[in-house]
Amino acid sequence: MSAVWFRSRSDLRRSWRGWVGLGLLVGLIGGAVLAASAGARRTDSAYRRFAEATKAADALVFSGAADPTFAQFSADQVAQLPEVASVAEAASYGIERRGPGSADLALQAGIDERYGGTVQRHQLLSGRQPRPDAVNEALISFTLASLHHLKVGDTITLSLTAAGDDNPPPVAAAFRVVGIEATAGEFPPQRGTGTSTVVATPAFYRAHADTLPTPHAVALRLHRGGKDFASLQEGLKRLADGKPILVFPVSDQAVNVQRSFHLQALALWLLAGLLAFEGVLVIAQLLIRQAQLESAEHPALRALGMSRGQLWTIGMTRAVFIGGLGAAAAVVVAALLSPLAPVGLARVAEPHPGFALDLLVLVVGALGTVVLVLAAAAGPSWRTVSTASSRSRTASAGQNRPSALAGVLSRTAAPIPVAAGVRLALEPGRGRTAVPVRSTIAGAVIGIVALAAALTFGASLSHLLTTPRLYGVNWDGQIAYDGEGGDGVRPAVSAVLQDPDVSDVSVGYLGAPIALGSVRVNGIAVAPEQGASLQPVPIEGRLPSEPDEVMLGTRTMAALHAHVGGTVGAIAVDATPDPLALRVVGRAVFPTVSDGVGLGRGVALTPDGVRRLIPSGAPPPDAILVRFRGGAD
């Protein structure tokens, strides 16, 4: 081994610049791969870590509702349940809707400092926290700031409506924006009131407690998180004395948000894989070239008594140096690139932005870099060692491999430029000027295939996005109930039916909470008032037409081990005492219309089916779906 060590040190002194250059190139490529991989893991876990850091609620119990048919709870009552770890209570104010974007507006104010402190902390993105004794200072959600182009120091004025039968006039309230925040439940693609939030202080609540009576929401953190939700429901039902309860698991809200983060993470994983594959091809070519250059003296070393194994060990020693230097550089590059992650909305949720070291990715990536370099160098090093024993050693180090295709072209009537061009492209050459042809062509082919795949995927995605029926949206417009008045959307139906530009109208419920055994989903339950039904298009079976029929999403059907023609037991969450048997008549793609309805997840039934599940009396319909006539503006 002394001869191997002596020769390796000699090669290092002579060729260290080339070795270092190769090592740094390996480090740059490997660092980009590690950064993309670590960024994917950081993006995928951002919302979970955000929820933990901000002490996001596990469940929301709504109380103080204007409808006395629902159970009323105080925070102190709920806090006595054994599943509850901590509680905080906030008032939710009604806002008079004016102008585009107002439908998602919400004003909340903590009853005391627990809301925003021990539960539902607000992650500050800019500005500062409002002073507890400041009546007119407020935080706003990042979604509201983006939608209305608001910044710290601006003033936002809301027209607040009080709950009650005497229909008091709206109260104007002006707030100075002192900070922009992110809180669990505010992230798109969640829909509905709550995504564009103004967060007032407990001082505001105390100042307006008498003039603005309003429903309250009790935010709960449970000892075992979502695992305690079922037992929490049972405890609330005991306190409700037979009345329906309004309690929702926050995990339902997080499903679509987490899915959107996961898709962003998948894009980074694909980028990491593509970079790694192309990097291996590039580095392999360079290592082949390096081995050919270093093999020029192999015949002389063999004549001096070196064995093939010793010559191969010299080549692998060079690979260890390059791989080790590349691994170290890759770790540094990945650390320097880490502030670029997470990406997209996950960057807003990230509780610890800036530099982050993912030790698992860095350790596995560094070891993988060394192993890949050694694997890429092993074959070329052995081939160059083997050629050293042939009779024509010098020529063998860069042996020319004639191209069969070029030979065929030269023997036919093919034009001379074509034959010469094919020969130059496909033959590696001789001696120290030889180049790796096959890996170069493989890299070019893979690049073209990747480009074609990307263009095909983009065209398919564009077709999907421009054809809403393919992702379950079978209507052109939606009218939603704003929570004011006792008839839901019924007062608007006649006006919609009289519109000459409207061809089809369906009325019913979007997002009705349904439990099918242990599977909680939301339901779409609409019936046609004019024209065809606007339920999602079935991909198997048919639409439900009777109160005891349902259509399920693919994932929901799989979770229930159900099939078309079978039956499932269903209850309206917190309202139906015993499950009712429903017959599965179809399977469909469901659009994202609420937290519990999305691609592959959901249930469709008739409005009469919803009313059948709520024997105490279903609420008024909350949605009108419309389809416009062809050519309508």
Side-chain angles (χ1 to χ4, degrees):
M1 293 301 293
S2 59
V4 171
W5 179 242
F6 178 81
R7 178 63 187 181
S8 297
R9 286 190 300 170
S10 174
D11 287 347
L12 177 61
R13 286 193 298 268
R14 182 183 59 184
S15 306
W16 68 270
R17 291 181 179 85
W19 293 16
V20 169
L22 270 176
L24 293 179
L25 181 60
V26 170
L28 287 174
I29 297 174
V33 173
L34 296 187
S37 302
R41 282 167 48 86
R42 196 176 182 188
T43 298
D44 213 4
S45 66
Y47 196 75
R48 174 183 54 79
R49 292 183 291 107
F50 168 81
E52 293 173 355
T54 58
K55 297 188 179 296
D58 297 309
L60 297 175
V61 178
F62 294 91
S63 185
D67 189 346
T69 60
F70 287 91
Q72 311 293 303
F73 301 105
S74 69
D76 292 336
Q77 277 182 298
V78 179
Q80 301 304 313
L81 295 174
E83 299 83 12
V84 176
S86 55
V87 302
E89 193 170 5
S92 300
Y93 295 88
I95 298 175
E96 192 174 41
R97 313 298 179 188
R98 294 179 179 176
S102 65
D104 287 345
L105 271 174
L107 173 65
Q108 299 174 351
I111 305 301
D112 53 37
E113 281 72 18
R114 288 180 298 177
Y115 187 81
T118 58
V119 181
Q120 288 290 92
R121 289 179 179 172
H122 310 296
Q123 180 164 294
L124 204 61
L125 304 179
S126 63
R128 61 172 176 83
Q129 295 285 353
R131 299 190 307 272
D133 59 344
V135 174
N136 294 324
E137 288 187 352
L139 299 174
I140 62 171
S141 66
F142 69 97
T143 49
L144 177 59
S146 175
L147 181 64
H148 293 281
H149 308 289
L150 296 172
K151 59 185 184 299
V152 174
D154 289 346
T155 299
I156 182 170
T157 302
L158 303 176
S159 183
L160 307 180
T161 57
D165 296 331
D166 54 351
N167 197 24
V171 176
F175 297 95
R176 180 171 176 268
V177 178
V178 298
I180 298 174
E181 53 83 28
T183 305
E186 295 175 351
F187 285 78
Q190 181 186 329
R191 299 168 60 89
T193 300
T195 56
S196 298
T197 311
V198 179
V199 183
T201 62
F204 175 85
Y205 169 77
R206 291 190 294 269
H208 297 278
D210 296 330
T211 57
L212 286 173
T214 183
H216 292 179
V218 181
L220 312 178
R221 282 184 61 82
L222 307 179
H223 289 293
R224 298 190 305 155
K227 296 179 180 178
D228 278 337
F229 186 78
S231 56
L232 171 71
Q233 281 182 296
E234 295 302 319
L236 290 172
K237 287 178 181 178
R238 289 192 299 269
L239 295 176
D241 195 24
K243 291 185 176 182
I245 61 176
L246 290 174
V247 56
F248 298 96
V250 176
S251 59
D252 283 355
Q253 294 182 338
V255 169
N256 292 324
V257 178
Q258 186 59 52
R259 182 183 294 119
S260 71
F261 285 18
H262 182 63
L263 291 175
Q264 295 166 10
L266 282 179
L268 287 176
W269 281 120
L270 290 174
L271 174 63
L274 183 60
L275 287 174
F277 194 80
E278 291 291 343
V280 167
L281 289 178
V282 170
I283 297 303
Q285 293 179 46
L286 294 175
L287 289 174
I288 291 171
R289 177 67 176 155
Q290 183 74 17
Q292 290 173 345
L293 292 175
E294 298 289 345
S295 68
E297 298 179 359
H298 282 182
L301 294 175
R302 286 283 286 156
L304 292 174
M306 272 197 171
S307 67
R308 292 185 182 181
Q310 288 176 315
L311 291 175
W312 183 79
T313 302
I314 292 172
M316 295 308 292
T317 302
R318 176 176 66 248
V320 168
F321 177 88
I322 294 171
L325 178 61
V331 170
V332 174
V333 170
L336 293 176
L337 293 177
S338 63
L340 299 178
V343 297
L345 275 178
R347 195 171 184 85
V348 177
E350 173 58 47
H352 306 292
F355 289 96
L357 300 181
D358 189 328
L359 294 181
L360 177 63
V361 169
L362 294 181
V363 171
V364 173
L367 293 176
T369 299
V370 175
V371 170
L372 286 175
V373 170
L374 292 178
S381 294
W382 184 253
R383 283 196 298 272
T384 56
V385 167
S386 299
T387 58
S389 60
S390 64
R391 181 171 298 178
S392 182
R393 293 178 173 83
T394 303
S396 297
Q399 185 179 2
N400 185 36
R401 303 183 188 89
S403 168
L405 178 60
V408 170
L409 292 176
S410 64
R411 291 191 297 271
T412 63
I416 293 178
V418 173
V422 170
R423 189 177 300 280
L424 289 172
L426 301 182
E427 293 184 356
R430 297 176 180 273
R432 296 174 67 87
T433 61
V435 294
V437 171
R438 285 176 291 184
S439 57
T440 302
I441 293 176
V445 169
I446 290 170
I448 294 173
V449 169
L451 177 61
L455 292 174
T456 302
F457 177 80
S460 299
L461 181 60
S462 177
H463 174 64
L464 174 65
L465 296 178
T466 55
T467 315
R469 293 177 75 255
L470 295 179
Y471 54 86
V473 179
N474 199 22
W475 56 87
D476 298 319
Q478 172 186 337
I479 300 170
Y481 177 44
D482 65 1
E484 298 178 7
D487 296 325
V489 294
R490 275 294 170 192
V493 172
S494 59
V496 175
L497 293 174
Q498 294 170 13
D499 192 319
D501 287 330
V502 172
S503 62
D504 305 302
V505 180
S506 289
V507 180
Y509 306 92
L510 292 185
I514 306 291
L516 305 170
S518 60
V519 178
R520 291 175 59 98
V521 292
N522 286 172
I524 296 178
V526 295
E529 292 276 337
Q530 174 179 294
S533 173
L534 299 183
Q535 289 271 31
V537 178
I539 55 178
E540 180 184 0
R542 61 175 176 83
L543 293 173
S545 59
E546 300 295 333
D548 62 345
E549 295 179 344
V550 292
M551 182 169 63
L552 303 177
T554 301
R555 293 174 58 193
T556 301
M557 187 175 287
L560 294 169
H561 304 289
H563 61 276
V564 174
T567 59
V568 295
I571 64 171
V573 175
D574 310 323
T576 307
D578 298 307
L580 298 178
L582 301 178
R583 188 159 56 96
V584 180
V585 298
R587 180 169 62 92
V589 176
F590 283 83
T592 301
V593 297
S594 72
D595 298 323
V597 178
L599 298 178
R601 182 169 180 249
V603 56
L605 62 167
T606 65
D608 286 340
V610 171
R611 289 187 277 269
R612 179 170 173 258
L613 292 175
I614 308 178
S616 61
D622 60 16
I624 304 173
L625 304 181
V626 299
R627 182 186 291 156
F628 300 120
R629 298 187 186 279
D633 186 350

